Structures are given as structure tokens and as C-alpha cells.
Amino acid sequence: MKIENYNLNSQFVKSSPTLKECPATDLPEYAFIGRSNVGKSSLINMLCMNSKLAKTSSTPGKTRLINHYLINESWYLVDLPGYGYAKVSKYMRRDFEKNLFNYLGKRENLYCVFVLIDSRLSPQSNDIEFISRLGELQTPFAIIFTKTDKTTRKQLNDNVKAFTNEMLKMWEELPSFFYSSSTTKRGREEILGFITEISTKPVFQAQ
Ligand code: GTP
Ligand code: MG
């Protein structure tokens, strides 16, 4: 399909507290994860050109459940709650992490997890740790540097370089990565093109 023909039909299906409650695994799915407020829900809305699809907020911790959106009646985009949100109790966080990693490690039809990184920041230890957990789980992933409308080109290049250097301490090769902005729609074609490309096979898998 030609990229400019990406006219997505999107509809909310279900919010699930745990893996067990998620929809049947008969369609490929692509999930979005990253620290609270990094722009996961906004990116899903931008990809779908549907500003009312996923709930967004300037206050971190908005998305609390595993949210499935059915696209073109043939695949799912999944909005996940953010990690690293300080204002939840230790117990809630432990419970939440257990559910999240259970989903990420066991969801059979999960083709790729997009890990969103705030392009304005130097490498953050919780992002690096999160990615190494994905490696342990052997979950295929790619990286998206978000909010690039808020950075200068130099700042973006410096932060991406620092991040990839940090990753190369742990990984022999780098995953695919993308730049996005939900305000300018930067990255839409590339990310949707990538999803199309991998829709028959997993992408980046830990060795
Ligand atoms: P949680 O659900 O709380 O984990 O957050 P989230 O990662 O889903 O973030 P969300 O999409 O709700 O966006 C958080 C804030 O960042 C909102 O105020 C958005 O308007 C803003 N935002 C998201 N993406 C972009 C972007 O690309 N550019 C700019 N300038 N702002 C953005
Ligand atoms: Mg959200």
C-alpha cells in the first residue's frame, strides 16, 4: 500500500487491567510504552488522525490500563500506562509493573513495542533499564524519540547520539528508531510504513 494512502479507520475496543482480560490474540498488535507524559496517547491519535481516540493529559499518569484500538478491522494499536510516575504508592507500582511485564513478555500477537523517549532529555536511567528488561523478555522493540517540535536540531542530535551510545554499552546492534511530533505529524509515514513492513514478521529481537 502506498504511504499516502494511510487512511486509518480506528475504534476503541477495550481497556484491560491485565493480560488475561485483553482481546483474543488473532490479530497483530503494536504497543506504545514509555515514561508517563512522554506522548504515547498523543502519538496513537496522531497516527490515526483521530484526536479523540486515546485520552491525553498534561498531567502524568493519565493512561492506567491496557487500551486496545482496532485499526482497519485488521490490527491493534495498544496504549499502555507510562512507567516512572512518582505519584503512585509503592504497592500500586509493583502491581502495575507486574501486569505490564506480564503483558510485554507473554502477549503472543505483540509484533513490536515502540519505546517512546523524550527527545528533549539526555539518557534517563529508567528508560535504559526498561529497555534492558525488554531484552530479557525477548520482546521485539523499536524506539521513537518524541516531541521533536520542542527541540533544536542540535539538541535532538546530541540526545539521540548520547542515547544510542548508552544502548551500545548493552547491545551489539541498535533497533530501528524514529523521530516524532504529534503536533507537526512528523514520523507518521515512517512509523506506519514500518508497521506495514513488519506486519508479517517480528522486527528487532534480542539475541
Ligand atoms: P500517560 O498516559 O500519563 O503515561 O502519558 P502519555 O505518554 O500518554 O502522554 P500524552 O499523550 O497524554 O501527552 C502528555 C502531554 O504532552 C500532553 O500535554 C500532550 O499534549 C503533550 N504532547 C504529547 N506529544 C507531544 C508532541 O509531539 N509535541 C508537543 N509539543 N507536545 C506533546
Ligand atoms: Mg497516555
Side-chain angles (χ1 to χ4, degrees):
M1 185 165 65
K2 282 183 81 177
I3 301 280
E4 53 269 31
N5 294 340
Y6 284 126
N7 193 357
L8 305 186
N9 172 293
S10 52
Q11 66 191 95
F12 170 72
V13 178
K14 185 174 186 199
S15 294
S16 318
T18 68
L19 173 67
K20 220 167 55 193
E21 285 91 359
C22 285
T25 55
D26 51 351
L27 298 175
E29 72 188 42
Y30 309 87
F32 295 81
I33 187 67
R35 293 189 307 129
S36 285
N37 213 44
V38 72
K40 301 172 290 294
S41 304
S42 305
L43 180 64
I44 289 179
N45 290 347
M46 184 274 266
L47 294 175
C48 296
M49 302 272 227
N50 182 348
S51 61
K52 297 204 172 79
L53 192 64
K55 291 202 179 67
T56 66
S57 168
S58 55
T59 315
K62 179 69 184 173
T63 310
R64 295 292 176 98
L65 299 161
I66 303 169
N67 299 288
H68 278 79
Y69 301 96
L70 181 64
I71 313 299
N72 292 350
E73 290 171 17
S74 50
W75 42 285
Y76 292 118
L77 288 181
V78 180
D79 193 14
L80 294 168
Y83 52 83
Y85 179 47
K87 283 191 189 158
V88 292
S89 75
K90 211 164 61 184
Y91 300 103
M92 245 178 89
R93 196 178 310 172
R94 203 177 300 161
D95 210 38
F96 156 70
E97 284 191 5
K98 202 181 84 199
N99 287 332
L100 180 65
F101 285 111
N102 203 33
Y103 166 83
L104 293 169
K106 297 193 185 140
R107 183 75 173 161
E108 293 158 24
N109 57 330
L110 182 57
Y111 276 48
C112 183
V113 181
F114 290 98
V115 183
L116 275 56
I117 303 291
D118 191 327
S119 67
R120 297 171 298 183
L121 307 177
S122 55
Q124 303 288 299
S125 56
N126 53 1
D127 288 329
I128 299 290
E129 277 160 31
F130 184 84
I131 289 172
S132 66
R133 289 286 298 274
L134 285 182
E136 286 160 22
L137 294 171
Q138 304 211 326
T139 306
F141 69 93
I143 291 183
I144 302 177
F145 293 95
T146 64
K147 304 193 184 183
T148 58
D149 57 289
K150 295 264 200 180
T151 51
T152 62
R153 188 182 296 216
K154 165 143 180 31
Q155 193 186 12
L156 179 63
N157 286 343
D158 290 351
N159 288 339
V160 169
K161 185 103 193 92
F163 195 88
T164 49
N165 282 342
E166 207 50 53
M167 275 197 78
L168 286 169
K169 292 181 186 166
M170 250 179 348
W171 299 81
E172 280 184 12
E173 56 175 321
L174 292 172
S176 300
F177 61 90
F178 302 92
Y179 301 127
S180 79
S181 163
S182 299
T183 41
T184 67
K185 300 196 170 33
R186 179 176 186 182
R188 184 172 186 268
E189 292 192 2
E190 291 82 354
I191 295 164
L192 292 177
F194 180 74
I195 287 176
T196 308
E197 203 180 291
I198 64 170
S199 57
T200 51
K201 55 182 190 320
V203 239
F204 182 80
Q205 191 123 33
Q207 298 302 308

